[in-house]
Amino acid sequence: MPLLEITDMVVGYGRIEALHGISLTVEAGELVTLIGANGAGKTTTMRAVSGIRPLTRGTIKFDGQDITKMKAHLRVLEGIVQAPEGRGVFPGMTVQENLDMGCYTRKFATKAEYQATLDHVFELFPRLAERRSQVGGTMSGGEQQMVAIGRALMARPKLLLLDEPSMGLAPMIIQQIFRIVSEINAEGTTILLVEQNAQQALSRSHRAYILETGEVIKTGGGKELLADPSVKEAYLGVA
Amino acid sequence: MTGPWAASVFALADSDINFNISALGHSFWQLTIDGLAYGAIYALVAVGYTLVYGVLRLINFAHSEVFMLGMFGQYAALMILGFSPSGNAYAEGAVMTIVFLGIAMIVGMAVSGGVAVGLERVAYRPLRKRNAPSLVFLITAIGASFVLQEFVHFILPKLTGGKLGGVNAQQPIRLVESKQQFTIFGGSVTNITLIIVISALILAFAADVFINRTKFGRGIRAVAQDPTTATLMGVSREKVIMLTFLIGGVLAGAAALLYTLRIPNGIIYSGGFILGIKAFCAAVLGGIGNLRGALLGGLLLGVLENYGQIVFGSGWRDVVSFVVLILVLMVRPTGILGETLGRARA
């Protein structure tokens, strides 16, 4: 049974349909990537999985449970946690407060558990430990992305949704972020990743889906798609 | 109550404008002390405007009626406790007076808090469900304000056999006799001033700690700063909105009791209107959406308008407030502490 199972999902904004019935699955432990051009429907898919965009048709199942109609904030309790597009760092909160927002609803049973998770986040992102009391709005893009991912980890997600973590970042930082994404996955967290940086994302993914104007046009293993001539041409800038 | 305070309750005076700067010099400390007491009341009411604005980007114009109903709430509580306008209420001794004040304040807070939350449920939540444009919210707020006023004007007297509400102000129940306690640079500090300032400070401090130091406060700030991400963190926006109205209402209810100590004959269906607008000005003055801005704006407005009315004449008191507001906004459009909860560190 897949951890996440989307069947025939249609999502629209007003009268404009953004997703025309897509289906995809994510197995427990996998790192799955959605790639596609701007406007292909990647972010819409992520918003629908998190519940901040309603479905017009189709179903979403998580861990065997139908969550199609479940409210967004309750999905967090089930273990679906997203680091959104544009990072969504709370600009007026410190790094520490931002991280604590991660466990706002998914509470820790003990203080020691909280401390262990926090230590782990600081281990992945030592930069955040140094900047605990800095206000989010004054941080660089890369640091904000670290906050966004670290905050999501504080919720101990069963399924981590990462929406374009590399957006607007310098190549060095992108490398670092991708390395950490792989590391988080290797530790056992299932990840659904949305990326424009197809080269990096595909080479690190177990599987990937290629979205084009609201439809899945191709799916396969990450390395397999990386070698696919049509994918190369369209997304990797290689003729 | 006579003197400067009465001026704002009634219409703008027909007096000519004066310019008497020496009077300001003469009674500077007295004016400052009284202004702070009045400003403390503005500050408490302003918190309700600012928090709701921070979370919903809505000016809740019915907040003045939340305050007004708090005045009726505490008055009703005192009546039930056996006080009557004709009775000699302040023969009870200090301890009992504090107990009765406490009960009246708690009832006022409960009534205002309940009205604020109820208002949110009945008036605003259905609009949110339908994704109404913000103008509709604003008009609804103004409509709700009228509905609540007219409820007290026409319906409340029928429900209470004429004991509460109606066209006239309630006969004052004088629980505390105004008595000078000490002086600061010649300015007299009465027991009423002390009660107002100390209670307001405690409540403002509590509100600040709640918003900045507790988990629920963090949830409120999260929704104010980025509602979508707050939802992604598992914050229930609906619960936060309810909590925000509750806090604003409770503080307005406390302010209602303090206000009636100062203006015993201010308990009337229209009695929240001017005060509400002033508190709203205070919130904008300090930087709307910003809790500390509302507190600072309230105190500042209370003091400045008190100076202004001495310099220009008591009838100009309200004018002074609005002119101060306009001048500050010309220089700093985001208010004194600037930026909303959206960006500032609350």
Side-chain angles (χ1 to χ4, degrees):
Chain A
M1 181 185 65
L3 183 65
L4 178 72
E5 185 175 11
I6 298 175
T7 315
D8 195 24
M9 177 166 78
V10 176
V11 178
Y13 293 86
R15 263 183 232 150
I16 301 157
E17 209 176 273
L19 294 174
H20 316 297
I22 67 159
S23 299
L24 65 86
T25 57
V26 180
E27 301 285 338
E30 272 189 316
L31 168 52
V32 174
T33 301
L34 297 181
I35 61 174
N38 277 332
K42 300 173 306 249
T43 294
T44 304
T45 305
M46 297 298 244
R47 294 168 78 92
V49 173
S50 272
I52 48 182
R53 206 61 238 175
L55 275 64
T56 4
R57 210 180 64 214
T59 56
I60 305 176
K61 275 191 183 173
F62 181 70
D63 228 351
Q65 187 190 357
D66 187 339
I67 59 160
T68 314
K69 298 238 178 297
M70 184 185 278
K71 288 204 167 115
H73 68 272
L74 298 176
R75 295 189 197 194
V76 179
L77 272 178
E78 297 295 321
I80 301 177
V81 185
Q82 181 172 167
E85 185 186 24
R87 301 157 201 136
V89 167
F90 296 110
M93 291 189 194
T94 62
V95 168
Q96 181 68 53
E97 286 180 307
N98 264 288
L99 293 177
D100 286 343
M101 282 309 297
C103 46
Y104 187 86
T105 31
R106 267 171 81 83
K107 295 186 190 81
F108 288 91
T110 63
K111 221 164 178 161
E113 238 178 279
Y114 163 81
Q115 197 55 48
T117 311
L118 190 65
D119 288 345
H120 182 55
V121 168
F122 286 150
E123 216 174 282
L124 289 172
F125 304 106
R127 188 61 152 276
L128 298 186
E130 298 161 22
R131 310 238 158 162
R132 277 172 99 134
S133 52
Q134 187 172 340
V135 175
T138 64
M139 303 186 91
S140 74
E143 290 164 342
Q144 290 197 1
Q145 190 59 58
M146 295 175 192
V147 172
I149 297 175
R151 183 177 62 187
L153 290 178
M154 290 301 289
R156 293 137 292 148
K158 284 188 200 153
L159 173 64
L160 175 61
L161 306 171
L162 297 174
D163 195 347
E164 297 223 21
S166 76
M167 190 166 66
L169 301 184
M172 282 258 297
I173 312 275
I174 293 181
Q175 277 293 334
Q176 194 190 344
I177 297 278
F178 271 111
R179 231 179 4 252
I180 289 169
V181 168
S182 288
E183 199 178 327
I184 294 167
N185 179 242
E187 284 165 0
T189 304
T190 311
I191 298 177
L192 179 58
L193 173 70
V194 156
E195 258 304 325
Q196 298 241 17
N197 193 329
Q199 174 77 48
Q200 278 281 350
L202 288 177
S203 65
R204 291 172 183 277
S205 304
H206 298 107
R207 290 187 304 114
Y209 291 83
I210 298 183
L211 282 180
E212 219 165 78
T213 55
E215 271 164 301
V216 174
I217 58 152
K218 197 164 264 188
T219 173
K223 304 251 159 53
E224 185 188 320
L225 287 175
L226 207 50
D228 186 305
S230 66
V231 174
K232 271 186 177 171
E233 191 182 346
Y235 299 102
L236 302 170
V238 196
Chain B
M1 199 82 203
T2 55
W5 305 109
S8 74
V9 177
F10 304 105
L12 275 177
D14 44 0
S15 60
D16 295 331
I17 188 161
N18 303 316
F19 191 77
N20 185 356
I21 202 87
S22 69
L24 177 61
H26 280 144
S27 43
F28 181 79
W29 288 103
Q30 188 64 58
L31 291 167
T32 308
I33 291 161
D34 290 340
L36 281 175
Y38 221 65
I41 295 168
Y42 289 159
L44 289 180
V45 181
V47 171
Y49 285 100
T50 222
L51 286 183
V52 167
Y53 180 84
V55 168
L56 285 179
R57 299 291 180 271
L58 160 74
I59 309 290
N60 178 19
F61 276 116
H63 190 57
S64 47
E65 276 55 55
V66 168
F67 166 84
M68 178 268 290
L69 284 161
M71 293 200 291
F72 278 91
Q74 59 84 23
Y75 188 86
L78 289 177
M79 277 172 71
I80 291 166
L81 285 173
F83 292 100
S84 68
S86 50
N88 194 5
Y90 35 76
E92 302 282 349
V95 175
M96 284 319 282
T97 302
I98 288 171
V99 170
F100 288 130
L101 279 177
I103 294 172
M105 185 181 268
I106 287 165
V107 173
M109 288 161 111
V111 169
S112 287
V115 169
V117 171
L119 175 76
E120 199 286 307
R121 274 273 159 113
V122 174
Y124 302 137
R125 183 176 291 188
L127 297 178
R128 272 205 308 285
K129 286 246 159 86
R130 290 173 180 74
N131 273 325
S134 54
L135 191 60
V136 173
F137 279 89
L138 197 66
I139 293 167
T140 302
I142 294 169
S145 165
F146 281 120
V147 167
L148 292 174
Q149 278 195 33
E150 297 312 314
F151 167 78
V152 175
H153 190 173
F154 293 114
I155 300 175
L156 193 59
K158 297 209 167 69
L159 295 179
T160 57
K163 282 188 187 127
L164 284 174
V167 67
N168 295 316
Q170 303 297 133
Q171 288 296 310
I173 294 176
R174 290 171 190 277
L175 202 56
V176 184
E177 184 183 18
S178 180
K179 237 191 248 155
Q180 178 179 308
Q181 303 295 306
F182 54 87
T183 63
I184 300 176
F185 302 111
S188 130
V189 178
T190 67
N191 48 356
I192 289 179
T193 304
L194 276 179
I195 292 170
I196 292 174
V197 172
I198 291 171
S199 320
L201 277 180
I202 292 171
L203 289 162
F205 180 75
D208 193 73
V209 167
F210 185 83
I211 295 291
N212 287 314
R213 293 272 170 271
T214 68
K215 190 190 137 185
F216 291 115
R218 200 156 8 95
I220 291 177
R221 282 187 292 143
V223 172
Q225 292 177 17
D226 187 338
T228 307
T229 306
T231 307
L232 290 177
M233 297 298 116
V235 181
S236 161
R237 186 160 175 261
E238 291 299 314
K239 272 189 200 153
V240 161
I241 290 169
M242 203 176 84
L243 184 62
T244 306
F245 274 87
L246 181 68
I247 298 169
V250 161
L251 292 180
L257 174 84
L258 302 178
Y259 180 80
T260 58
L261 289 177
R262 186 91 233 200
I263 318 280
N265 55 9
I267 309 172
I268 182 169
Y269 73 95
S270 58
F273 183 71
I274 285 283
L275 189 123
I277 289 184
K278 293 283 185 62
F280 169 63
C281 284
V284 176
L285 187 67
I288 192 150
N290 185 324
L291 175 68
R292 287 177 190 169
L295 299 172
L296 177 71
L299 292 175
L300 210 61
L301 199 69
V303 171
L304 287 179
E305 71 170 18
N306 216 23
Y307 294 157
Q309 65 163 344
I310 283 296
V311 176
F312 300 110
S314 64
W316 297 87
R317 177 192 165 96
D318 295 345
V319 179
V320 168
S321 303
F322 299 128
V323 169
V324 165
L325 178 71
I326 291 166
L327 290 179
V328 169
L329 290 187
M330 278 167 72
V331 184
R332 272 188 77 89
T334 52
I336 298 168
L337 292 191
E339 295 159 7
T340 60
L341 269 183
R343 270 188 264 140
R345 212 170 150 226

